[in-house]
mmCIF file of all heavy atoms in Angstrom:
data_model
loop_
_atom_site.group_PDB
_atom_site.id
_atom_site.type_symbol
_atom_site.label_atom_id
_atom_site.label_comp_id
_atom_site.label_asym_id
_atom_site.label_seq_id
_atom_site.Cartn_x
_atom_site.Cartn_y
_atom_site.Cartn_z
ATOM 1 N N TRP A 1 -0.597 3.789 -3.661
ATOM 2 C CA TRP A 1 -1.606 4.341 -2.780
ATOM 3 C C TRP A 1 -2.871 4.750 -3.557
ATOM 4 O O TRP A 1 -3.982 4.606 -3.008
ATOM 5 C CB TRP A 1 -1.026 5.530 -2.047
ATOM 6 C CG TRP A 1 0.069 5.203 -1.076
ATOM 7 C CD1 TRP A 1 0.186 4.000 -0.472
ATOM 8 C CD2 TRP A 1 1.114 6.033 -0.613
ATOM 9 N NE1 TRP A 1 1.306 4.017 0.392
ATOM 10 C CE2 TRP A 1 1.877 5.218 0.338
ATOM 11 C CE3 TRP A 1 1.477 7.327 -0.819
ATOM 12 C CZ2 TRP A 1 2.981 5.746 0.945
ATOM 13 C CZ3 TRP A 1 2.598 7.836 -0.186
ATOM 14 C CH2 TRP A 1 3.376 7.013 0.711
ATOM 15 N N ARG A 2 -2.711 5.205 -4.778
ATOM 16 C CA ARG A 2 -3.924 5.592 -5.600
ATOM 17 C C ARG A 2 -4.772 4.416 -5.935
ATOM 18 O O ARG A 2 -5.952 4.507 -5.954
ATOM 19 C CB ARG A 2 -3.438 6.269 -6.871
ATOM 20 C CG ARG A 2 -4.594 6.819 -7.713
ATOM 21 C CD ARG A 2 -4.094 7.611 -8.821
ATOM 22 N NE ARG A 2 -5.155 8.116 -9.695
ATOM 23 C CZ ARG A 2 -5.050 8.859 -10.793
ATOM 24 N NH1 ARG A 2 -3.818 9.178 -11.175
ATOM 25 N NH2 ARG A 2 -6.093 9.245 -11.429
ATOM 26 N N TYR A 3 -4.083 3.237 -6.228
ATOM 27 C CA TYR A 3 -4.866 2.017 -6.443
ATOM 28 C C TYR A 3 -5.591 1.501 -5.213
ATOM 29 O O TYR A 3 -6.635 0.871 -5.250
ATOM 30 C CB TYR A 3 -3.939 0.919 -6.954
ATOM 31 C CG TYR A 3 -3.444 1.118 -8.408
ATOM 32 C CD1 TYR A 3 -2.477 0.300 -8.911
ATOM 33 C CD2 TYR A 3 -4.034 2.154 -9.181
ATOM 34 C CE1 TYR A 3 -2.039 0.446 -10.235
ATOM 35 C CE2 TYR A 3 -3.572 2.246 -10.478
ATOM 36 C CZ TYR A 3 -2.579 1.471 -10.970
ATOM 37 O OH TYR A 3 -2.080 1.618 -12.305
ATOM 38 N N THR A 4 -5.088 1.906 -3.997
ATOM 39 C CA THR A 4 -5.691 1.407 -2.768
ATOM 40 C C THR A 4 -6.953 2.139 -2.477
ATOM 41 O O THR A 4 -7.996 1.575 -2.085
ATOM 42 C CB THR A 4 -4.697 1.592 -1.607
ATOM 43 O OG1 THR A 4 -3.531 0.897 -1.863
ATOM 44 C CG2 THR A 4 -5.303 1.024 -0.333
ATOM 45 N N ARG A 5 -6.996 3.468 -2.733
ATOM 46 C CA ARG A 5 -8.210 4.272 -2.366
ATOM 47 C C ARG A 5 -9.142 4.260 -3.549
ATOM 48 O O ARG A 5 -8.726 4.153 -4.698
ATOM 49 C CB ARG A 5 -7.847 5.667 -1.879
ATOM 50 C CG ARG A 5 -7.183 6.527 -2.990
ATOM 51 C CD ARG A 5 -6.897 7.904 -2.409
ATOM 52 N NE ARG A 5 -6.379 8.807 -3.425
ATOM 53 C CZ ARG A 5 -5.093 8.937 -3.692
ATOM 54 N NH1 ARG A 5 -4.161 8.291 -2.997
ATOM 55 N NH2 ARG A 5 -4.726 9.777 -4.712
ATOM 56 N N ALA A 6 -10.386 4.468 -3.252
ATOM 57 C CA ALA A 6 -11.438 4.424 -4.286
ATOM 58 C C ALA A 6 -11.284 5.693 -5.200
ATOM 59 O O ALA A 6 -11.007 6.726 -4.791
ATOM 60 C CB ALA A 6 -12.855 4.426 -3.682
ATOM 61 N N GLY A 7 -11.503 5.454 -6.484
ATOM 62 C CA GLY A 7 -11.485 6.573 -7.443
ATOM 63 C C GLY A 7 -12.505 6.399 -8.508
ATOM 64 O O GLY A 7 -12.942 5.281 -8.766
ATOM 65 N N LYS A 8 -12.987 7.434 -9.107
ATOM 66 C CA LYS A 8 -14.063 7.362 -10.124
ATOM 67 C C LYS A 8 -13.511 7.569 -11.557
ATOM 68 O O LYS A 8 -14.290 7.422 -12.492
ATOM 69 C CB LYS A 8 -15.135 8.461 -9.782
ATOM 70 C CG LYS A 8 -15.736 8.233 -8.460
ATOM 71 C CD LYS A 8 -16.799 9.326 -8.161
ATOM 72 C CE LYS A 8 -17.498 9.126 -6.855
ATOM 73 N NZ LYS A 8 -18.457 10.184 -6.497
ATOM 74 N N ARG A 9 -12.293 7.891 -11.692
ATOM 75 C CA ARG A 9 -11.824 8.240 -13.029
ATOM 76 C C ARG A 9 -11.497 6.951 -13.800
ATOM 77 O O ARG A 9 -11.723 6.931 -15.056
ATOM 78 C CB ARG A 9 -10.486 9.036 -12.906
ATOM 79 C CG ARG A 9 -10.703 10.400 -12.332
ATOM 80 C CD ARG A 9 -9.441 11.193 -12.288
ATOM 81 N NE ARG A 9 -9.612 12.494 -11.725
ATOM 82 C CZ ARG A 9 -8.621 13.393 -11.585
ATOM 83 N NH1 ARG A 9 -7.432 13.089 -11.937
ATOM 84 N NH2 ARG A 9 -8.898 14.524 -11.017
ATOM 85 N N THR A 10 -11.071 5.857 -13.105
ATOM 86 C CA THR A 10 -10.698 4.685 -13.864
ATOM 87 C C THR A 10 -11.751 3.624 -13.617
ATOM 88 O O THR A 10 -12.317 3.373 -12.549
ATOM 89 C CB THR A 10 -9.403 4.146 -13.282
ATOM 90 O OG1 THR A 10 -8.454 5.193 -13.299
ATOM 91 C CG2 THR A 10 -8.903 2.949 -14.093
ATOM 92 N N THR A 11 -12.133 2.984 -14.718
ATOM 93 C CA THR A 11 -13.211 2.027 -14.719
ATOM 94 C C THR A 11 -12.837 0.831 -13.800
ATOM 95 O O THR A 11 -11.745 0.220 -13.960
ATOM 96 C CB THR A 11 -13.498 1.447 -16.185
ATOM 97 O OG1 THR A 11 -13.782 2.567 -16.973
ATOM 98 C CG2 THR A 11 -14.652 0.521 -16.140
ATOM 99 N N GLY A 12 -13.771 0.437 -12.906
ATOM 100 C CA GLY A 12 -13.571 -0.689 -12.074
ATOM 101 C C GLY A 12 -12.746 -0.389 -10.884
ATOM 102 O O GLY A 12 -12.573 -1.293 -9.995
ATOM 103 N N ASN A 13 -12.136 0.774 -10.742
ATOM 104 C CA ASN A 13 -11.251 1.026 -9.588
ATOM 105 C C ASN A 13 -12.069 1.036 -8.293
ATOM 106 O O ASN A 13 -11.517 0.661 -7.264
ATOM 107 C CB ASN A 13 -10.510 2.289 -9.778
ATOM 108 C CG ASN A 13 -9.338 2.464 -8.822
ATOM 109 O OD1 ASN A 13 -8.623 1.511 -8.594
ATOM 110 N ND2 ASN A 13 -9.148 3.669 -8.288
ATOM 111 N N GLY A 14 -13.311 1.472 -8.363
ATOM 112 C CA GLY A 14 -14.067 1.556 -7.149
ATOM 113 C C GLY A 14 -14.333 0.145 -6.574
ATOM 114 O O GLY A 14 -14.293 -0.102 -5.397
ATOM 115 N N PHE A 15 -14.641 -0.821 -7.505
ATOM 116 C CA PHE A 15 -14.799 -2.162 -7.046
ATOM 117 C C PHE A 15 -13.528 -2.756 -6.442
ATOM 118 O O PHE A 15 -13.617 -3.468 -5.416
ATOM 119 C CB PHE A 15 -15.291 -3.023 -8.251
ATOM 120 C CG PHE A 15 -15.523 -4.461 -7.913
ATOM 121 C CD1 PHE A 15 -16.567 -4.828 -7.068
ATOM 122 C CD2 PHE A 15 -14.742 -5.475 -8.376
ATOM 123 C CE1 PHE A 15 -16.748 -6.212 -6.713
ATOM 124 C CE2 PHE A 15 -14.875 -6.759 -8.106
ATOM 125 C CZ PHE A 15 -15.936 -7.079 -7.304
ATOM 126 N N ILE A 16 -12.432 -2.542 -7.143
ATOM 127 C CA ILE A 16 -11.101 -3.042 -6.669
ATOM 128 C C ILE A 16 -10.885 -2.493 -5.257
ATOM 129 O O ILE A 16 -10.454 -3.174 -4.359
ATOM 130 C CB ILE A 16 -10.008 -2.654 -7.592
ATOM 131 C CG1 ILE A 16 -10.194 -3.302 -8.977
ATOM 132 C CG2 ILE A 16 -8.637 -3.059 -7.027
ATOM 133 C CD1 ILE A 16 -10.259 -4.790 -8.949
ATOM 134 N N SER A 17 -11.169 -1.156 -5.043
ATOM 135 C CA SER A 17 -10.941 -0.608 -3.735
ATOM 136 C C SER A 17 -11.912 -1.146 -2.705
ATOM 137 O O SER A 17 -11.572 -1.216 -1.482
ATOM 138 C CB SER A 17 -11.053 0.950 -3.858
ATOM 139 O OG SER A 17 -10.079 1.482 -4.710
ATOM 140 N N PHE A 18 -13.127 -1.496 -3.131
ATOM 141 C CA PHE A 18 -14.086 -2.152 -2.201
ATOM 142 C C PHE A 18 -13.519 -3.485 -1.720
ATOM 143 O O PHE A 18 -13.570 -3.862 -0.525
ATOM 144 C CB PHE A 18 -15.392 -2.320 -2.877
ATOM 145 C CG PHE A 18 -16.365 -3.117 -2.072
ATOM 146 C CD1 PHE A 18 -16.997 -2.524 -0.953
ATOM 147 C CD2 PHE A 18 -16.642 -4.439 -2.387
ATOM 148 C CE1 PHE A 18 -17.913 -3.309 -0.227
ATOM 149 C CE2 PHE A 18 -17.539 -5.186 -1.649
ATOM 150 C CZ PHE A 18 -18.176 -4.591 -0.520
ATOM 151 N N ILE A 19 -12.930 -4.257 -2.627
ATOM 152 C CA ILE A 19 -12.299 -5.506 -2.301
ATOM 153 C C ILE A 19 -11.207 -5.280 -1.312
ATOM 154 O O ILE A 19 -10.945 -5.994 -0.381
ATOM 155 C CB ILE A 19 -11.871 -6.267 -3.556
ATOM 156 C CG1 ILE A 19 -13.035 -6.633 -4.371
ATOM 157 C CG2 ILE A 19 -11.110 -7.526 -3.116
ATOM 158 C CD1 ILE A 19 -14.013 -7.589 -3.789
ATOM 159 N N ALA A 20 -10.382 -4.199 -1.553
ATOM 160 C CA ALA A 20 -9.309 -3.870 -0.665
ATOM 161 C C ALA A 20 -9.823 -3.549 0.701
ATOM 162 O O ALA A 20 -9.221 -3.890 1.779
ATOM 163 C CB ALA A 20 -8.471 -2.696 -1.239
ATOM 164 N N LEU A 21 -10.941 -2.785 0.742
ATOM 165 C CA LEU A 21 -11.580 -2.505 2.033
ATOM 166 C C LEU A 21 -12.022 -3.744 2.774
ATOM 167 O O LEU A 21 -11.920 -3.840 4.078
ATOM 168 C CB LEU A 21 -12.760 -1.536 1.815
ATOM 169 C CG LEU A 21 -13.499 -1.059 3.096
ATOM 170 C CD1 LEU A 21 -12.591 -0.270 3.980
ATOM 171 C CD2 LEU A 21 -14.735 -0.204 2.702
ATOM 172 N N VAL A 22 -12.553 -4.694 2.023
ATOM 173 C CA VAL A 22 -12.964 -5.948 2.678
ATOM 174 C C VAL A 22 -11.769 -6.660 3.198
ATOM 175 O O VAL A 22 -11.835 -7.273 4.308
ATOM 176 C CB VAL A 22 -13.714 -6.826 1.616
ATOM 177 C CG1 VAL A 22 -13.972 -8.235 2.188
ATOM 178 C CG2 VAL A 22 -15.024 -6.145 1.278
ATOM 179 N N SER A 23 -10.641 -6.632 2.523
ATOM 180 C CA SER A 23 -9.449 -7.296 3.008
ATOM 181 C C SER A 23 -8.934 -6.604 4.288
ATOM 182 O O SER A 23 -8.527 -7.285 5.249
ATOM 183 C CB SER A 23 -8.389 -7.239 1.939
ATOM 184 O OG SER A 23 -8.768 -7.926 0.765
ATOM 185 N N MET A 24 -8.903 -5.287 4.285
ATOM 186 C CA MET A 24 -8.562 -4.573 5.475
ATOM 187 C C MET A 24 -9.466 -4.941 6.665
ATOM 188 O O MET A 24 -8.948 -5.186 7.770
ATOM 189 C CB MET A 24 -8.691 -3.068 5.209
ATOM 190 C CG MET A 24 -7.674 -2.410 4.388
ATOM 191 S SD MET A 24 -7.880 -0.609 4.303
ATOM 192 C CE MET A 24 -6.762 -0.183 3.019
ATOM 193 N N SER A 25 -10.800 -4.984 6.405
ATOM 194 C CA SER A 25 -11.712 -5.315 7.496
ATOM 195 C C SER A 25 -11.510 -6.717 7.961
ATOM 196 O O SER A 25 -11.582 -6.955 9.188
ATOM 197 C CB SER A 25 -13.179 -5.173 7.002
ATOM 198 O OG SER A 25 -13.355 -3.831 6.535
ATOM 199 N N GLY A 26 -11.204 -7.665 7.111
ATOM 200 C CA GLY A 26 -10.968 -9.038 7.534
ATOM 201 C C GLY A 26 -9.709 -9.126 8.400
ATOM 202 O O GLY A 26 -9.729 -9.828 9.468
ATOM 203 N N ILE A 27 -8.666 -8.463 7.995
ATOM 204 C CA ILE A 27 -7.448 -8.497 8.859
ATOM 205 C C ILE A 27 -7.734 -7.797 10.172
ATOM 206 O O ILE A 27 -7.274 -8.303 11.220
ATOM 207 C CB ILE A 27 -6.347 -7.799 8.082
ATOM 208 C CG1 ILE A 27 -5.864 -8.572 6.845
ATOM 209 C CG2 ILE A 27 -5.096 -7.567 8.989
ATOM 210 C CD1 ILE A 27 -4.901 -7.907 5.936
ATOM 211 N N ALA A 28 -8.405 -6.648 10.174
ATOM 212 C CA ALA A 28 -8.662 -5.958 11.392
ATOM 213 C C ALA A 28 -9.542 -6.752 12.371
ATOM 214 O O ALA A 28 -9.264 -6.831 13.525
ATOM 215 C CB ALA A 28 -9.383 -4.616 11.140
ATOM 216 N N LEU A 29 -10.579 -7.434 11.877
ATOM 217 C CA LEU A 29 -11.393 -8.227 12.716
ATOM 218 C C LEU A 29 -10.668 -9.438 13.245
ATOM 219 O O LEU A 29 -10.845 -9.774 14.458
ATOM 220 C CB LEU A 29 -12.689 -8.703 11.927
ATOM 221 C CG LEU A 29 -13.703 -7.675 11.602
ATOM 222 C CD1 LEU A 29 -14.780 -8.230 10.720
ATOM 223 C CD2 LEU A 29 -14.291 -7.118 12.888
ATOM 224 N N GLY A 30 -9.835 -10.046 12.437
ATOM 225 C CA GLY A 30 -9.084 -11.188 12.961
ATOM 226 C C GLY A 30 -8.050 -10.848 14.037
ATOM 227 O O GLY A 30 -7.967 -11.476 15.077
ATOM 228 N N VAL A 31 -7.342 -9.665 13.836
ATOM 229 C CA VAL A 31 -6.445 -9.221 14.853
ATOM 230 C C VAL A 31 -7.165 -8.779 16.127
ATOM 231 O O VAL A 31 -6.759 -9.162 17.272
ATOM 232 C CB VAL A 31 -5.621 -8.009 14.249
ATOM 233 C CG1 VAL A 31 -4.849 -7.311 15.368
ATOM 234 C CG2 VAL A 31 -4.714 -8.437 13.162
ATOM 235 N N ALA A 32 -8.302 -8.080 15.985
ATOM 236 C CA ALA A 32 -9.006 -7.631 17.153
ATOM 237 C C ALA A 32 -9.597 -8.868 17.936
ATOM 238 O O ALA A 32 -9.472 -8.879 19.162
ATOM 239 C CB ALA A 32 -10.154 -6.751 16.757
ATOM 240 N N ALA A 33 -10.094 -9.866 17.230
ATOM 241 C CA ALA A 33 -10.646 -11.030 17.900
ATOM 242 C C ALA A 33 -9.545 -11.773 18.618
ATOM 243 O O ALA A 33 -9.755 -12.248 19.811
ATOM 244 C CB ALA A 33 -11.331 -11.949 16.846
ATOM 245 N N LEU A 34 -8.372 -11.922 17.993
ATOM 246 C CA LEU A 34 -7.275 -12.654 18.673
ATOM 247 C C LEU A 34 -6.792 -11.913 19.905
ATOM 248 O O LEU A 34 -6.523 -12.490 20.983
ATOM 249 C CB LEU A 34 -6.151 -12.763 17.664
ATOM 250 C CG LEU A 34 -4.940 -13.669 18.051
ATOM 251 C CD1 LEU A 34 -5.402 -14.979 18.524
ATOM 252 C CD2 LEU A 34 -3.959 -13.763 16.879
ATOM 253 N N ILE A 35 -6.738 -10.565 19.866
ATOM 254 C CA ILE A 35 -6.277 -9.799 21.011
ATOM 255 C C ILE A 35 -7.292 -9.919 22.205
ATOM 256 O O ILE A 35 -6.975 -10.136 23.291
ATOM 257 C CB ILE A 35 -6.083 -8.296 20.632
ATOM 258 C CG1 ILE A 35 -4.909 -8.211 19.729
ATOM 259 C CG2 ILE A 35 -5.902 -7.404 21.890
ATOM 260 C CD1 ILE A 35 -4.653 -6.760 19.190
ATOM 261 N N VAL A 36 -8.596 -9.785 21.786
ATOM 262 C CA VAL A 36 -9.632 -9.891 22.905
ATOM 263 C C VAL A 36 -9.696 -11.265 23.524
ATOM 264 O O VAL A 36 -9.756 -11.329 24.782
ATOM 265 C CB VAL A 36 -10.961 -9.522 22.233
ATOM 266 C CG1 VAL A 36 -12.100 -9.777 23.232
ATOM 267 C CG2 VAL A 36 -11.027 -8.085 21.806
ATOM 268 N N VAL A 37 -9.609 -12.354 22.703
ATOM 269 C CA VAL A 37 -9.713 -13.651 23.259
ATOM 270 C C VAL A 37 -8.484 -13.957 24.111
ATOM 271 O O VAL A 37 -8.616 -14.517 25.329
ATOM 272 C CB VAL A 37 -9.776 -14.697 22.129
ATOM 273 C CG1 VAL A 37 -9.587 -16.142 22.660
ATOM 274 C CG2 VAL A 37 -11.114 -14.612 21.416
ATOM 275 N N LEU A 38 -7.256 -13.636 23.681
ATOM 276 C CA LEU A 38 -6.113 -13.864 24.525
ATOM 277 C C LEU A 38 -6.131 -13.012 25.769
ATOM 278 O O LEU A 38 -5.660 -13.458 26.859
ATOM 279 C CB LEU A 38 -4.877 -13.599 23.722
ATOM 280 C CG LEU A 38 -4.483 -14.577 22.632
ATOM 281 C CD1 LEU A 38 -3.161 -14.258 21.970
ATOM 282 C CD2 LEU A 38 -4.442 -15.993 23.201
ATOM 283 N N SER A 39 -6.629 -11.822 25.699
ATOM 284 C CA SER A 39 -6.732 -10.919 26.882
ATOM 285 C C SER A 39 -7.659 -11.532 27.943
ATOM 286 O O SER A 39 -7.419 -11.469 29.139
ATOM 287 C CB SER A 39 -7.213 -9.543 26.504
ATOM 288 O OG SER A 39 -6.260 -8.888 25.642
ATOM 289 N N VAL A 40 -8.798 -12.043 27.481
ATOM 290 C CA VAL A 40 -9.754 -12.710 28.336
ATOM 291 C C VAL A 40 -9.146 -13.935 28.981
ATOM 292 O O VAL A 40 -9.310 -14.196 30.232
ATOM 293 C CB VAL A 40 -11.093 -13.007 27.719
ATOM 294 C CG1 VAL A 40 -11.977 -13.845 28.569
ATOM 295 C CG2 VAL A 40 -11.762 -11.748 27.268
ATOM 296 N N MET A 41 -8.456 -14.774 28.180
ATOM 297 C CA MET A 41 -7.793 -15.964 28.735
ATOM 298 C C MET A 41 -6.676 -15.580 29.737
ATOM 299 O O MET A 41 -6.537 -16.239 30.768
ATOM 300 C CB MET A 41 -7.187 -16.748 27.526
ATOM 301 C CG MET A 41 -8.238 -17.358 26.691
ATOM 302 S SD MET A 41 -7.572 -18.458 25.437
ATOM 303 C CE MET A 41 -7.113 -19.844 26.388
ATOM 304 N N ASN A 42 -5.934 -14.526 29.398
ATOM 305 C CA ASN A 42 -4.955 -14.077 30.353
ATOM 306 C C ASN A 42 -5.601 -13.519 31.620
ATOM 307 O O ASN A 42 -5.080 -13.779 32.744
ATOM 308 C CB ASN A 42 -4.098 -12.920 29.733
ATOM 309 C CG ASN A 42 -3.129 -13.371 28.653
ATOM 310 O OD1 ASN A 42 -2.730 -14.553 28.643
ATOM 311 N ND2 ASN A 42 -2.900 -12.549 27.753
ATOM 312 N N GLY A 43 -6.768 -12.912 31.517
ATOM 313 C CA GLY A 43 -7.500 -12.449 32.748
ATOM 314 C C GLY A 43 -7.949 -13.581 33.621
ATOM 315 O O GLY A 43 -7.828 -13.535 34.830
#
C-alpha cells in the first residue's frame, strides 16, 4: 500500500505512484465507458 500511494521520502516514488494513478484512471475509464455503452444499448 505504501508503494501505491505517493511519497516524498523515497527517490522516484512520486513518479511511480503517478504511473499507478494513470493505470487506475485507465481501468476506471474503460469500466465506466463499457457500463454506459451497454446501458444505452439495453435502453
Side-chain angles (χ1 to χ4, degrees):
W1 290 338
R2 184 175 181 180
Y3 287 171
T4 304
R5 64 179 186 268
K8 297 181 180 180
R9 295 182 182 180
T10 308
T11 305
N13 195 43
F15 178 69
I16 298 298
S17 298
F18 173 75
I19 297 296
L21 180 62
V22 171
S23 299
M24 286 183 190
S25 302
I27 294 173
L29 287 175
V31 170
L34 188 51
I35 290 175
V36 171
V37 170
L38 288 185
S39 297
V40 172
M41 294 185 71
N42 290 332

